[in-house]
Amino acid sequence: MLQFSIQRVRSMRRLSPSIFGIAKCHFSTAVEPSSRHGKSIRVPNLIGGSFVDSHSSDTIDVINPATQEVVSKVPLTTKEEFNSAVAAAKEAFPSWRNTPITTRQRIMFKLQDLIRKNMDKLALNITTEQGKTLKDAQGDVFRGLEVVEHACGMATLQMGEYVANVSNGIDTYSIREPLGVCAGICPFNFPAMIPLWMFPVAVTCGNTFVLKPSEKDPGASMILAELAMEAGLPNGVLNIVHGSTDTVNAICDDEHIRAVSFVGSNTAGMHIYSRASASGKRVQSNMGAKNHGIVMPDANIDATLNALVAAGFGAAGQRCMALSTVVFVGDSKFWEEKLVERAKALKVSAGTDPEADLGPVISVQAKERVCKLVQSGVESGARILLDGRTIKVPGYEQGNFVGPTILADVTADMECYKEEIFGPVLICMQADSLDEAINIVNRNKYGNGAAIFTSSGIAARKFQTEIEAGQVGINVPIPVPLPFFSFTGSKASFAGDLNFYGKAGVQFFTQIKTITQQWKDLPSGAGVSLAMPTSQKS
């Protein structure tokens, strides 16, 4: 199921979009390994409205993290193919920018309907390639879908400003215009949500787009692209290329690309921000995080424990807004015991298991890194309250599984605290007062999000005022805003001036043009004045 014909891909260089028809379930989203078919499926590029098999012989395996089976192969897009994708986007731009905004909105209305109808197929693909549970994969799609829904109101979001008679007979107004060709570079942890943060806003503003999905799980982007074309997106408005460092650098360097959106690690993010900015591009770069939750003594016990467990271990901790660090104000022993009790009750299994609470991490290397950081904490003096490093899942013995892990007595100088672990590991720290807890959070270099759990309005208000994080939760563990606000990470978690989606997202993908017009009868024989024009009457 959900696989396209390998023979047709091998024999045809330019593929009709219908080959990837979702209704026929042809795309490479199967839970069955491609090895059963004798050959591995190659993921195509999307260039100028056609799915095109790359000429590249260099590929990266897309591996099911629960089984280690190869799902598909991602060719490294050649320089010529990349240039063709950018050229297709550039060619499509003049017509697309002049397409009425109401028409562009209707395509988004259709796209959101198609995404809803294909929610299960998208979720299955995400679970197969990325590993998260089916329920979590559906949430991945839905949070992206909300951005598509918001883009359906672009006519209002893109409105300019007007002032009549700024001077005698002179009016001034501003409009928001698209930039041109834009690009997006996506991470592995949200294969549907992050692409949907990017291209729907960009193209509804009138831009064209080149998307580079993560080489670890490109399937969801390919399905979304086909749905966008089915919704009516013209050829060349959305293009997809694949690869690794060379493709990323090509996006940063290409003179025709005006803006770059990125979500991922700090190392990659700062490289992209620096390189793309140096070539004159706008850049928004969402990067790493170390999100803290402060637990006050008066916090609701049951609700807080549920929040900490869900936010710390959900998606196997592979969220940039995962609540990975807990700071207990006062005695922590009671909380630690209850946390261990609830974490032990979680089921670790393949994402396709309907009873699974968390699946594997993305790769063997990711598991090794998680385990290494946990061990560094133990060697530095942390107490390990729950150790999930040696967990084995029956039937999935080769999977990249890490069970819920809890470290206590962690201090700010430990590597396990300073680094983003990106796994199902919850770090516990202690503070004697709210002031001390806030200082711990603020000293950390990251600033994606922070939360407090309390019954005190006074404590909550102090926290929201003094905390140095872009997204603040009060009794909310993962305070990611809905799309009518913006995702507002800060400090080392974000580089750029304009954040993702919401008003900031629209501003990022548009530029302001200001028009001053004069329509009045001018007296003859007034002569020429070389003085600075002002609104003052002489």
Side-chain angles (χ1 to χ4, degrees), residues 187-269:
F188 73 83
N189 57 326
F190 286 98
M193 184 182 78
I194 301 301
L196 291 174
W197 277 15
M198 295 177 179
F199 80 82
V201 177
V203 302
T204 315
C205 284
N207 301 287
T208 55
F209 208 80
V210 177
L211 182 72
K212 194 204 88 66
S214 169
E215 62 275 16
K216 294 182 173 67
D217 45 19
S221 288
M222 301 305 298
I223 296 173
L224 289 168
E226 186 174 11
L227 295 178
M229 293 170 66
E230 184 179 342
L233 207 62
N235 294 345
V237 173
L238 175 62
N239 304 271
I240 295 182
V241 295
H242 301 287
S244 186
T245 305
D246 288 345
T247 307
V248 168
N249 287 340
I251 289 172
C252 293
D253 296 344
D254 192 279
E255 63 180 351
H256 302 297
I257 294 174
R258 298 287 308 280
V260 179
S261 296
F262 169 78
V263 177
S265 71
N266 277 68
T267 301

Side-chain angles (χ1 to χ4, degrees), residues 445-511:
K445 67 178 181 179
Y446 294 111
N448 241 9
I452 188 170
F453 300 92
T454 182
S455 298
S456 167
I458 295 173
R461 185 169 177 80
K462 177 181 176 66
F463 174 80
Q464 74 178 47
T465 301
E466 297 182 11
I467 207 70
E468 296 172 4
Q471 294 159 123
V472 175
I474 297 173
N475 297 317
V476 174
I478 305 179
V480 177
L482 291 174
F484 30 86
F485 292 94
S486 297
F487 188 99
T488 51
S490 63
K491 296 169 67 176
S493 295
F494 181 75
D497 297 317
L498 295 166
N499 297 94
F500 281 79
Y501 62 77
K503 291 180 180 179
V506 174
Q507 291 167 0
F508 179 78
F509 286 116
T510 56
Q511 56 193 353

Side-chain angles (χ1 to χ4, degrees), residues 50-303:
S50 296
F51 290 96
V52 186
D53 187 21
S54 174
H55 289 270
S56 175
S57 58
D58 296 323
T59 61
I60 298 172
D61 288 344
V62 176
I63 297 173
N64 184 326
T67 64
Q68 304 305 323
E69 294 167 327
V70 177
V71 178
S72 60
K73 289 183 177 291
V74 180
L76 304 185
T77 297
T78 67
K79 182 179 180 181
E80 293 74 20
E81 290 161 353
F82 174 81
N83 290 339
S84 295
V86 176
K90 185 180 178 184
E91 183 181 353
F93 176 63
S95 174
W96 180 243
R97 71 168 294 173
N98 289 319
T99 300
I101 183 63
T102 49
T103 301
R104 300 200 299 259
Q105 286 182 155
R106 289 187 193 106
I107 292 172
M108 289 300 110
F109 273 113
K110 180 63 174 175
L111 177 59
Q112 66 86 24
D113 179 58
L114 289 170
I115 291 172
R116 287 180 184 277
K117 289 177 178 176
N118 290 277
M119 181 81 73
D120 290 342
K121 296 184 181 75
L122 282 159
L124 178 59
N125 169 264
I126 292 168
T127 296
T128 303
E129 294 186 353
Q130 199 273 347
K132 63 179 66 176
T133 66
L134 283 170
K135 182 178 290 187
D136 197 30
Q138 288 177 332
D140 185 332
V141 178
F142 190 80
R143 288 307 295 261
L145 174 65
E146 291 174 329
V147 179
V148 180
E149 292 172 339
H150 192 56
C152 292
M154 188 58 70
T156 301
L157 298 172
Q158 210 170 335
M159 281 184 175
E161 298 173 311
Y162 184 96
V163 178
N165 221 40
V166 295
S167 187
N168 186 32
I170 298 177
D171 308 321
T172 300
Y173 61 95
S174 65
I175 58 176
R176 287 202 165 271
E177 295 188 325
L179 302 174
V181 181
C182 301
I185 302 168
C186 301
F188 73 83
N189 57 326
F190 286 98
M193 184 182 78
I194 301 301
L196 291 174
W197 277 15
M198 295 177 179
F199 80 82
V201 177
V203 302
T204 315
C205 284
N207 301 287
T208 55
F209 208 80
V210 177
L211 182 72
K212 194 204 88 66
S214 169
E215 62 275 16
K216 294 182 173 67
D217 45 19
S221 288
M222 301 305 298
I223 296 173
L224 289 168
E226 186 174 11
L227 295 178
M229 293 170 66
E230 184 179 342
L233 207 62
N235 294 345
V237 173
L238 175 62
N239 304 271
I240 295 182
V241 295
H242 301 287
S244 186
T245 305
D246 288 345
T247 307
V248 168
N249 287 340
I251 289 172
C252 293
D253 296 344
D254 192 279
E255 63 180 351
H256 302 297
I257 294 174
R258 298 287 308 280
V260 179
S261 296
F262 169 78
V263 177
S265 71
N266 277 68
T267 301
M270 289 311 300
H271 168 80
I272 290 165
Y273 178 75
S274 300
R275 186 159 180 157
S277 297
S279 63
K281 295 173 175 54
R282 288 187 181 182
V283 185
Q284 51 180 192
S285 181
N286 265 8
M287 299 178 288
K290 198 73 174 182
N291 306 305
H292 296 66
I294 295 176
V295 178
M296 299 297 290
D298 63 354
N300 180 291
I301 294 172
D302 193 58

